[in-house]
Amino acid sequence: MSQPADDATHLKKTPLHGLHGALGAKMAPFAGYDMPIQYPMGVLKEHLHTRQKAGLFDVSHMGQATLVGPDHATTASVLETLVPGEVLKLAPGRQRYTVLLNESGGIIDDLMVARAPGADGRIGLVVNAACKEKDYGVIENALTDGVRLERHDERALLALQGPAAATVLERLAPEASKMKFMDVARVSIDGVEAGVTRSGYTGEDGFEISVHENDADRLARLLLDDADVAPIGLGARDSLRLEAGLCLYGHDLNEKTSPVEGAIRFAIGKRRREEGGFPGADRILRELSEGPSRVLVGIAPEGRAPAREGAEIQSTDGKTIGAVTSGGFGPTVGHPVAMGYVAADHGAPGARIHLMVRGKALPAEVVTTPFAPHRYFRG
């Protein structure tokens, strides 16, 4: 997460900036952009609307790029020198989550990699806004075998999330209904050509829609014309992803944490666990075998007081065993929720811990995430 800029005139604007103003959004600096934090509905109602119907998010600040090579094997092999994911076997029309690693096995960023149908040799990337320049530099330094990186700064990205998302998009693009979780397709939405993935950052069914910046405003207004769709800001995006147990880079993950510590072992492909060949493989494979010294866990505080990022985590006998990395109130579940790192011997679900909140030790329990169940459409 970026620090707020001193001068708002230096902030970048997404192609939907004017629409946010027209909708009465409260804006604030985020990752170098002037972004909507909430709309007049307010964060709580925006959160619940997304869980009940469909929310539209502007995520155009994210970095979109494509690795381009002579064929898929060549392009995927280059990318696999940087990530622990199985990219070689990524099928056309599919997407997966992985992480960029440094030489010590720490996470430079988490990202999505996609292989569009009929695009042999091209692998799409979506990276975090605050990390994109760093990410692009790391990737470009690793390019070989005629593979190049194409940035798509001219593209906008919208996320339509919630149980009504599929019905809403199907009215405009019937072929979207055939997609399953993590599918990738090229779709025409009322004449707007879009790259669509069935994925998102809320734990709900939904879609991320990439379009040229010139088409973004029209498409957003078209989607908002549906009575089930409301504009949603970054405030509710954060509470939704926390309830879903999804990590936020710069908070739950950083360049010191490994994917094993960060409880995202699924980002490490089976073949990669056997062969290695990615940065920090020695550390990561050792942690897979022996277990890490600390682990990211879900935390359910007792009572109504939320534990915020940075709150100290103690054992029941008062020893410091970790810290909260994300925390707040979960509107769907009706109680505070948090995630944080604890010493591995305190990481089992059911473990009793204390959270230091305003100088008081509040009781809490280690729990399995997600707090609110995922509702991805898997067919």
Side-chain angles (χ1 to χ4, degrees):
M1 178 180 260
S2 67
Q3 297 298 315
D6 293 331
D7 186 347
T9 61
H10 293 160
L11 294 174
K12 297 177 183 178
K13 298 177 181 179
T14 74
L16 295 177
H17 191 271
L19 178 59
H20 300 317
L23 294 172
K26 178 182 178 181
M27 308 293 288
F30 182 82
Y33 286 79
D34 194 26
M35 295 295 294
I37 302 304
Q38 66 179 70
Y39 296 86
M41 183 187 293
V43 173
L44 175 62
K45 290 183 178 179
E46 290 175 25
H47 178 113
L48 295 175
H49 183 93
T50 304
R51 289 275 187 250
Q52 295 162 2
K53 296 183 180 181
L56 183 66
F57 302 76
D58 178 12
V59 287
S60 303
H61 59 315
M62 304 287 281
Q64 298 183 71
T66 302
L67 274 179
V68 183
D71 52 63
H72 176 70
T74 302
T75 309
S77 294
V78 169
L79 186 55
E80 284 194 358
T81 66
L82 299 171
V83 306
E86 170 63 85
V87 186
L88 276 169
K89 291 184 179 179
L90 183 62
R94 293 292 290 167
Q95 173 180 252
R96 68 182 34 155
Y97 171 91
T98 190
V99 291
L100 279 176
L101 296 171
N102 60 30
E103 291 302 321
S104 63
I107 299 170
I108 297 171
D109 196 12
D110 56 347
L111 69 158
M112 304 300 293
V113 299
R115 187 180 178 191
D120 192 41
R122 300 178 66 88
I123 298 175
L125 311 174
V126 177
V127 302
N128 283 303
C131 304
K132 58 186 173 184
E133 298 302 332
K134 175 181 64 176
D135 293 354
Y136 293 156
V138 169
I139 293 168
E140 287 177 332
N141 286 337
L143 297 181
T144 59
D145 298 326
V147 179
R148 68 182 188 277
L149 180 71
E150 291 182 355
R151 295 177 56 149
H152 302 308
D153 297 336
E154 78 289 354
R155 296 193 71 80
L157 190 64
L158 289 73
L160 182 67
Q161 299 283 292
T167 302
V168 170
L169 192 57
E170 184 180 1
R171 292 173 187 146
L172 302 169
E175 61 268 42
S177 65
K178 302 175 183 178
M179 299 176 67
K180 300 176 183 178
F181 180 57
M182 298 298 260
D183 273 355
V184 180
R186 293 190 180 96
V187 174
S188 177
I189 306 174
D190 196 41
V192 175
E193 294 303 314
V196 177
T197 63
R198 196 157 191 170
S199 59
Y201 193 48
T202 62
E204 296 292 333
D205 183 24
F207 304 84
E208 293 197 331
I209 307 167
S210 173
V211 296
H212 192 277
E213 59 187 358
N214 294 340
D215 294 319
D217 185 88
R218 175 174 167 244
L219 177 59
R221 292 176 187 273
L222 188 64
L223 292 168
L224 289 169
D225 280 344
D226 193 299
D228 283 339
V229 182
I232 311 296
L234 294 183
R237 179 174 164 87
D238 191 51
S239 58
L240 287 159
R241 70 89 192 168
L242 178 54
E243 280 190 341
L246 302 176
C247 293
L248 176 61
Y249 189 81
H251 299 255
D252 312 300
L253 306 173
N254 59 43
E255 293 202 26
K256 294 183 179 179
T257 58
S258 77
V260 182
E261 290 179 323
I264 50 171
R265 297 180 183 215
F266 63 88
I268 309 167
K270 180 180 178 181
R271 173 178 57 84
R272 310 308 306 283
R273 299 180 187 211
E274 298 170 353
E275 298 178 359
F278 49 84
D282 289 347
R283 170 193 176 184
I284 290 170
L285 296 179
R286 182 178 65 253
E287 289 179 349
L288 284 171
S289 174
E290 302 174 4
S293 61
R294 61 174 191 154
V295 65
L296 183 69
V297 296
I299 302 167
E302 293 184 4
R304 305 294 288 178
R308 304 294 181 181
E309 178 181 0
E312 183 179 312
I313 303 173
Q314 295 183 349
S315 61
T316 53
D317 58 2
K319 295 179 181 178
T320 299
I321 57 171
V324 171
T325 53
S326 290
F329 187 78
T332 310
V333 296
H335 59 74
V337 293
M339 296 194 297
Y341 284 90
V342 298
D345 57 355
H346 291 79
R352 302 296 299 175
I353 56 175
H354 287 160
L355 304 175
M356 295 304 296
V357 178
R358 298 177 181 174
K360 296 182 179 180
L362 302 183
E365 181 179 340
V366 173
V367 297
T368 301
T369 59
F371 301 97
H374 293 166
R375 297 195 287 185
Y376 305 131
F377 178 73
R378 300 183 186 275

